[in-house]
Amino acid sequence: MTAMLGVDLTGRRVLVAGGGPVAARRAETLLAAGADVLVVAPALCEALAQVVRAGRVRWEGRRVEAADLDEAWLVHTATGDPAADAAVVRWAEDRRVFCVHAGDVASGTARTPAVARQGDVLLGVVSTAVADPRRSVAVRDALAAHLEAGGADLRRRRAARPGHGRVVLVGGGPGDPGLLTLAARAALAEADVVVADRLGPVSVLDELPADVEVVDVGKQPGHHPVPQREINRILVERALAGHVVVRLKGGDPFVFGRGGEEVLACREAGVPVEVVAGVSSALAAPTAAGIPLTHRGTVGAFLVMNGHDGWGAAALTGLRERGLTIVVLMGVAVLPDLVGEALAGGVDVGTPVAIVENATLPGQRVTRARLGDVVGVAARAGVHAPAVVVLGEVAAEGLLAGAAAPGAVASR
């Protein structure tokens, strides 16, 4: 019977007997665990020689001897010589030191599991009967995929320790939970607190365990009940209390999402913070509507802008000269102003415009019109946020076969 045991090798001597590729892989794994690795072998393969040249392990260029095990906490033998490996196993047994025999797992006193890491959880799979590395790897890969997809609750169960929390800014994408990345799912699986917007994949909140704290800081056009400074305070306060805090944002945290401000607030407070990229609605909404932002022979570049900031010179010039596709986020409320400024700036009245509402969700709708008509068409269609506005030749209906996504409504 084999028992699984987590062993702390940090700073502890581990002997690797052998200098071939197997020994090189074992040495790298042990170094990652923080072990003090001693390699004993007459010669080294190139991979292991590089590790030695880098000063990461010590090397004795000779055959392994019994005395090499005297200060070791663990031994890996992979000399490729059955007699030498058998001797190392005997010497380890005499010294009551666990030994992994790479060439004959059954004769050693320890086995190396197939491992995978998800956050601070280390998953190990090992056979309790005849060694079967391929089966162990297959099981590990299946379990690792389950964890990566957020399929298990990975929250810490012991009481939070003040000062040991962290913040993860997660880009949730445009709304369809299927567009959440694996990294986003994994972060949610570890979350004690989720600070959520009203946009993005809010349906995933229903999948969280009942005792995960969800803080709603959603903003609506013209109504920001929780100002950014307060959001920053919530993130820092919960993390300093020892919690894993996920800031679930629509789109990508760094595309008009104020993610940079939240990162700075965490760093100023000494809170560890990381960012998980998301699919920006600037890219996802046109794609969902069948609109290619670049198209060979039509346009080769695009620019993303915040509608409330108004036109920049580059955007207006690119649109006027038909050299850019313009994607406007948060532009529905200011659409009349944007259109008026564009027309006054010399943009062709016939420039195609497409407005994509609720992109990637069941209620997605695409409204198309010429620049000169789009304000009236949008008003009659009852266009509302959240929506992405696309201007340029690629927004023309019929540019691609099936230009509107299935189920979308096209208005003119």
Side-chain angles (χ1 to χ4, degrees):
M1 177 63 69
T2 299
M4 291 289 290
L5 181 67
V7 179
D8 182 4
L9 296 175
T10 305
R12 295 186 168 96
R13 171 71 55 80
V14 178
L15 171 66
V16 175
V22 173
R25 291 195 295 271
R26 296 289 169 83
E28 286 286 3
T29 300
L30 293 164
L31 286 170
D36 171 22
V37 179
L38 170 65
V39 175
V40 179
L44 303 177
C45 68
E46 180 55 29
L48 196 48
Q50 289 181 1
V51 177
V52 171
R53 286 196 293 269
R56 300 174 61 202
V57 303
R58 293 185 299 111
W59 173 45
E60 294 287 344
R62 53 175 174 76
R63 293 177 64 85
V64 64
E65 301 172 356
D68 295 322
L69 284 71
D70 287 344
E71 297 182 10
W73 291 66
L74 177 66
V75 178
H76 283 248
T77 185
T79 67
D81 179 343
D85 286 332
V88 172
V89 172
R90 290 197 306 273
W91 298 333
E93 184 78 25
D94 292 342
R95 289 163 174 76
R96 296 184 179 180
V97 175
F98 283 110
C99 178
V100 178
H101 186 339
D104 182 8
V105 174
S107 70
T109 52
R111 294 184 179 183
T112 301
V115 300
R117 184 180 296 276
Q118 184 61 52
D120 59 0
V121 173
L122 186 66
L123 170 71
V125 179
V126 66
S127 174
T128 60
V130 175
D132 192 344
R134 290 185 180 181
R135 183 178 69 163
S136 296
V137 167
V139 174
R140 176 205 62 189
D141 290 346
L143 293 175
H146 184 66
L147 294 182
E148 288 175 359
D153 183 355
L154 297 181
R155 291 174 299 152
R156 296 180 179 88
R157 290 300 190 269
R158 294 188 176 182
R161 291 190 297 164
H164 288 76
R166 58 191 174 91
V167 171
V168 186
L169 306 187
V170 170
D176 179 356
L179 294 178
L180 272 169
T181 65
L182 290 176
R185 286 281 190 180
L188 286 168
E190 295 185 56
D192 302 304
V193 181
V194 177
V195 181
D197 287 339
R198 74 179 184 91
L199 301 179
V202 293
S203 62
V204 301
L205 300 177
D206 296 332
E207 302 173 10
L208 298 174
D211 55 344
V212 172
E213 180 185 4
V214 177
V215 182
D216 181 5
V217 295
K219 301 173 183 177
Q220 299 181 18
H223 180 57
H224 300 170
V226 185
Q228 187 61 47
R229 181 177 297 179
E230 177 64 11
I231 294 174
N232 296 349
R233 186 195 66 77
I234 292 170
L235 297 177
V236 169
E237 180 183 79
R238 297 297 199 280
L240 289 178
H243 298 297
V244 175
V245 184
V246 166
R247 173 71 169 104
L248 182 62
K249 308 170 77 69
D252 182 89
F254 283 174
V255 180
F256 299 123
R258 297 194 176 182
E261 298 174 40
E262 293 169 355
V263 167
L264 290 174
C266 290
R267 288 180 175 171
E268 289 172 0
V271 171
V273 58
E274 60 183 288
V275 182
V276 175
V279 180
S280 172
S281 59
L283 305 179
T287 298
I291 301 171
L293 295 182
T294 63
H295 189 60
R296 187 166 62 172
T298 303
V299 66
F302 65 92
L303 183 149
V304 181
M305 59 180 275
N306 179 346
H308 293 280
D309 292 340
W311 291 101
L316 202 57
T317 300
L319 189 60
R320 184 172 56 241
E321 298 179 356
R322 300 187 179 185
L324 282 177
T325 299
I326 306 300
V327 182
V328 183
L329 303 184
M330 296 169 282
V332 170
V334 294
L335 186 62
D337 295 334
L338 291 174
V339 170
E341 292 172 14
L343 294 173
V347 178
D348 190 335
V349 67
T351 300
V353 181
I355 305 174
V356 186
E357 300 170 78
N358 298 308
T360 75
L361 297 173
Q364 175 178 309
R365 181 173 68 157
V366 182
T367 300
R368 285 185 166 85
R370 303 186 319 150
L371 180 65
D373 303 325
V374 69
V375 172
V377 170
R380 289 192 295 274
V383 169
H384 58 82
V388 173
V389 183
V390 184
L391 303 94
E393 298 304 311
V394 295
E397 187 173 7
L399 177 70
L400 298 180
V409 177
S411 303
R412 286 192 293 275

